[in-house]
Amino acid sequence: MHLETSAQGRIAERNPNELGGSIKAGSGKLFDRKNRLLFYNRTFKIICIASAIFVCLVLFSILFFMFRTGVLTFRDVSPLTFFFSSDWSPENESYGAFVFIFGTFALTLLTLLISVPLSVVIAVFLAEIAPSWLRNLLRPVLDLLVGIPSVVYGFLGLTILIPLLRDVTGTNMGDGILAAAIVLTIMVLPTISRISDDAISVVPRKYRDASYALGATRFQTIFKVTIPAARSGIMYGVILGMARAIGETMAVVMVIGNTPQLADALFKPTSVLTSNIVMQIANVPFDSTWNNALYMMGFLLLVISLFMIVVVRLLQRKGAHE
Amino acid sequence: MKLFKSLSVAAMAIALITSSVSVVGAASSLKGKIVINGSSALLPLTLQAANEFKKLNPKVKISASAAGSITGPQSVRKGIADIGAVDWDASQDVPGFKKFDGQVAHKVAVIPFAAVVNKNVKVDNLTTKQLQDIFSGKVTNWKDVGGSDGDIIVVNRAFGSGTRVNFQMKALAGSEFLSKGSNYKEVKSSGDMKTAVETTPNAIGYMDLVYVTSNMKAVKINDVAPSEANLVNGTYKVWGFGYYMTKGQPDGATKAFIEYIQSSKFQNGSLKKLKFIPISAIK
């Protein structure tokens, strides 16, 4: 109490009308409190801006570097051959990446085909049907599943899923896009279902009440009211899961067979962009067309996942407006 | 008792001091930094040699990494590494890879390779011709090479693997691999090859002899079993030298390190323990 009055007294001495006047007025010395504060504030601002610029620089230099190395491919290979030829045999100088581009999209589509209905059903169960004790148990379990390293999924796929597929279907190998899609489904399931779960949970209670009041059953309410209302949130989850599936490498490379041939059957060993890059990058000569072609494939992957992220952002904005 | 204890402690202390003094005394004045890159098959050998060499020459820094055979001579050419470890003689042309001009190859070890099949396969012996037919896709059923009825699953290493180059040159006499088909797959490393052959019925693959486990079968090639004894007496042909590539003739610490790894002390000691075969065993 005594201290406070004395401090106020000192401020009042210098500038009686304004609080903090002593700071603004300064004492006239070169590095007094005012200048010091100004210096700290400016430095902090500069550090913040520099960090932000640094992040942008990193992203754009990665993009630029991948593109610059990748585009050298087209000195020796025509873009038409690269994108539409399915003959990938670098030892014979033919670089057709169509097999891998097609494989990537086929694998992602198949994964979504299996995982989206499953995840949405899980999300509906979590948000609408499960008793609260089960919900409180399942949500952390799903969150933990996201954290398992992908190589673990790949190894389980290789040692458990593939022999199982071989026994069930009677095929010789079991490697192929079906095996990869099943492994990826297990990986993206928690992502999609947890985000959808959140989206369904925030649908206002009045929508459901109105639906029940009109005489709708629980099933009708969920599929005609709740899910359409949570649509953009579910889409957000699907796209995030899809981005994860497209970029996944370790799990896929272990179960897909890594043979550069078109994925025209579920059990045919094939290759996708990620698996082919990781299989070959360690063994290619630097400065070769082969190396450049792998960089071009990496650039393609980067563009695809950046595109996904942009779509997610747009959906988010749309969701905010609704 | 107490006296004995303190005496023994004193003796140990003296022994410690004298031994450390002798280490310092024996340590050479050799200085330098050696960077090694290349084959993953040779990495355990390199690391072991580097550890022992550093004890003898404390002023020499050695950093070793492995990213695949072909990166060894490439790093040397680019000047990133002083030594490039590689599973074939990169100063000569081999299938798929041009020679590296101006580089000198130093033999450091002998690596035996084996053709392996899944345990369920009844075949014990394959001729070079049969191996060629299997790996090129001409023979697709085990019954055509003396086994029971069943499609052959060919497991191959990716192009650029040192093991693949050696197997192609020595066991297949340079003939081509198949590259497509629904019973054909490629794996990334020796470890993946091991898992694939172990878990896939009717599979055939190949790997370093040291990777062969009891869950698979290493077949005889032309009636010769893959073993160190058969390799040394010259009847088993599927093996290769591991090489260290240097830009021109090495000097200073690099030269001393290569000489150390080629010395009979290392070759007959640590190298044998790691299940490689000394270069001197081959006449």
Side-chain angles (χ1 to χ4, degrees):
Chain A
M1 192 63 210
H2 176 73
L3 272 173
E4 267 177 42
T5 40
S6 72
Q8 277 169 2
R10 259 194 281 146
I11 292 167
E13 261 171 44
R14 284 191 189 141
N15 195 340
N17 300 323
E18 211 177 327
L19 194 67
S22 69
I23 297 172
K24 284 194 177 169
S27 64
K29 281 182 198 156
L30 188 62
F31 212 61
D32 61 358
R33 189 168 156 74
K34 175 197 171 194
N35 284 333
R36 221 163 56 223
L37 280 178
L38 276 177
F39 174 74
Y40 286 154
N41 284 346
R42 279 206 201 110
T43 322
F44 185 64
K45 196 176 165 191
I46 289 169
I47 291 175
C48 288
I49 293 175
S51 313
I53 291 174
F54 176 71
V55 170
C56 297
L57 268 180
V58 167
L59 175 68
F60 283 106
S61 50
I62 290 174
L63 265 176
F64 174 74
F65 179 73
M66 294 298 285
F67 178 72
R68 199 196 59 175
T69 318
V71 85
L72 292 177
T73 316
F74 300 131
R75 280 192 313 202
D76 311 295
V77 187
S78 81
L80 215 64
T81 320
F82 183 79
F83 288 108
F84 296 107
S85 156
S86 56
D87 180 21
W88 175 269
S89 43
E91 53 271 44
N92 306 324
E93 305 275 310
S94 50
Y95 304 93
F98 180 73
V99 167
F100 312 120
I101 299 169
F102 177 82
T104 296
F105 281 107
L107 174 59
T108 312
L109 265 178
L110 191 63
T111 305
L112 289 185
L113 222 61
I114 308 174
S115 66
V116 171
L118 263 175
S119 320
V120 171
V121 169
I122 291 175
V124 165
F125 176 73
L126 274 178
E128 301 279 314
I129 298 164
S132 62
W133 65 269
L134 189 59
R135 184 179 308 159
N136 292 338
L137 185 77
L138 277 180
R139 281 187 178 155
V141 165
L142 282 175
D143 290 340
L144 282 176
L145 277 177
V146 179
I148 295 180
S150 57
V151 67
V152 174
Y153 286 111
F155 192 69
L156 292 178
L158 183 64
T159 51
I160 296 172
L161 177 70
I162 286 189
L164 190 76
L165 281 176
R166 221 159 25 213
D167 288 347
V168 170
T169 61
T171 47
N172 278 326
M173 295 183 72
D175 299 58
I177 55 170
L178 184 66
I182 292 173
V183 169
L184 283 183
T185 297
I186 297 168
M187 288 184 63
V188 301
L189 210 65
T191 311
I192 305 182
S193 59
R194 282 293 280 122
I195 293 173
S196 308
D197 171 23
D198 287 343
I200 293 172
S201 297
V202 298
V203 170
R205 187 162 178 80
K206 58 184 179 191
Y207 289 13
R208 299 188 188 96
D209 289 346
S211 171
Y212 287 133
L214 287 169
T217 61
R218 192 181 206 180
F219 179 83
Q220 286 167 330
T221 307
I222 288 171
F223 283 90
K224 296 272 163 77
V225 177
T226 320
I227 290 181
R231 202 187 58 228
S232 76
I234 294 174
M235 276 304 292
Y236 181 52
V238 168
I239 288 173
L240 271 187
M242 200 166 157
R244 187 160 189 220
I246 280 188
E248 180 44 46
T249 312
M250 283 322 294
V252 171
V253 82
M254 295 172 94
V255 296
I256 202 157
N258 306 306
T259 311
Q261 55 192 352
L262 212 59
D264 54 4
L266 289 180
F267 287 109
K268 198 168 173 185
T270 177
S271 244
V272 294
L273 287 169
T274 49
S275 66
N276 192 55
I277 293 173
V278 77
M279 283 289 288
Q280 306 202 324
I281 197 74
N283 289 320
V284 301
F286 301 136
D287 306 325
S288 62
T289 313
W290 186 2
N291 185 43
N292 297 338
L294 289 180
Y295 271 93
M296 193 65 216
M297 285 163 57
F299 179 71
L300 267 179
L301 255 178
L302 208 62
V303 169
I304 295 172
S305 32
L306 282 182
F307 175 75
M308 296 278 159
I309 291 166
V310 170
V311 172
V312 170
R313 291 272 160 227
L314 288 179
L315 271 179
Q316 248 178 344
R317 202 173 300 160
K318 202 179 147 213
H321 283 309
E322 265 171 14
Chain B
M1 192 61 209
K2 211 175 171 189
L3 182 75
F4 175 75
K5 220 176 179 179
S6 57
L7 266 178
S8 63
V9 168
M12 266 168 70
I14 290 166
L16 264 175
I17 291 165
T18 46
S19 66
S20 61
V21 164
S22 68
V23 165
V24 173
S28 70
S29 54
L30 205 60
K31 271 187 210 169
K33 191 169 184 298
I34 312 174
V35 180
I36 305 163
N37 195 0
S39 159
S40 55
L42 283 169
L43 186 67
L45 187 72
T46 306
L47 288 177
Q48 179 63 32
N51 268 339
E52 294 175 16
F53 189 74
K54 271 189 276 195
K55 269 183 204 135
L56 295 173
N57 304 281
K59 284 178 186 159
V60 177
K61 285 199 176 107
I62 303 179
S63 62
S65 60
S69 272
I70 187 68
T71 53
Q74 275 170 358
S75 307
V76 171
R77 185 168 66 192
K78 277 205 153 185
I80 304 167
D82 305 297
I83 295 177
V86 55
D87 295 359
W88 66 85
D89 185 351
S91 60
Q92 309 289 326
D93 287 331
V94 297
F97 292 99
K98 288 195 192 72
K99 65 177 179 183
F100 287 80
D101 282 324
Q103 292 194 12
V104 182
H106 309 267
K107 287 175 191 170
V108 293
V110 172
I111 313 169
F113 300 102
V116 288
V117 293
N118 185 274
K119 267 206 301 201
N120 84 322
V121 175
K122 297 281 179 289
V123 175
D124 288 312
N125 177 50
L126 289 167
T127 63
T128 304
K129 178 83 179 72
Q130 284 171 330
L131 279 172
Q132 284 174 341
D133 287 348
I134 288 172
F135 279 97
S136 65
K138 272 182 216 135
V139 168
T140 57
N141 198 309
W142 280 114
K143 69 171 189 253
D144 297 332
V145 288
S148 43
D149 188 25
D151 286 341
I152 299 176
I153 312 286
V154 177
V155 189
N156 200 0
R157 293 285 302 276
F159 184 76
S161 141
T163 308
R164 172 171 162 149
V165 169
N166 273 297
F167 191 77
Q168 190 175 13
M169 288 195 303
K170 309 284 168 49
L172 306 181
S175 80
E176 289 293 312
F177 285 109
L178 75 163
S179 66
K180 286 184 169 68
S182 51
N183 290 328
Y184 171 78
K185 75 182 244 176
E186 286 183 14
V187 292
K188 202 155 68 70
S189 64
S190 300
D192 291 344
M193 175 68 91
K194 189 170 82 103
T195 317
V197 175
E198 274 177 4
T199 60
T200 317
N202 294 321
I204 183 167
Y206 53 87
M207 62 187 78
D208 297 13
L209 192 59
V210 297
Y211 279 100
V212 176
T213 65
S214 54
N215 289 325
M216 54 178 80
K217 198 160 64 176
V219 293
K220 290 179 189 169
I221 296 177
N222 298 325
D223 289 317
V224 184
S227 70
E228 192 188 328
N230 285 340
L231 196 158
V232 171
N233 71 26
T235 47
Y236 188 70
K237 307 286 186 196
V238 188
W239 54 272
F241 283 114
Y243 293 89
Y244 276 180
M245 307 298 300
T246 54
K247 196 177 247 172
Q249 287 298 338
D251 54 2
T254 310
K255 182 162 182 272
F257 181 65
I258 294 176
E259 276 167 3
Y260 178 76
I261 208 167
Q262 289 171 335
S263 70
S264 62
K265 175 177 166 269
F266 183 80
Q267 293 276 326
N268 292 319
S270 306
L271 182 132
K272 265 191 167 171
K273 271 190 213 127
L274 290 167
K275 293 188 183 169
F276 289 93
I277 295 170
I279 38 177
S280 58
I282 304 295
K283 271 104 203 169

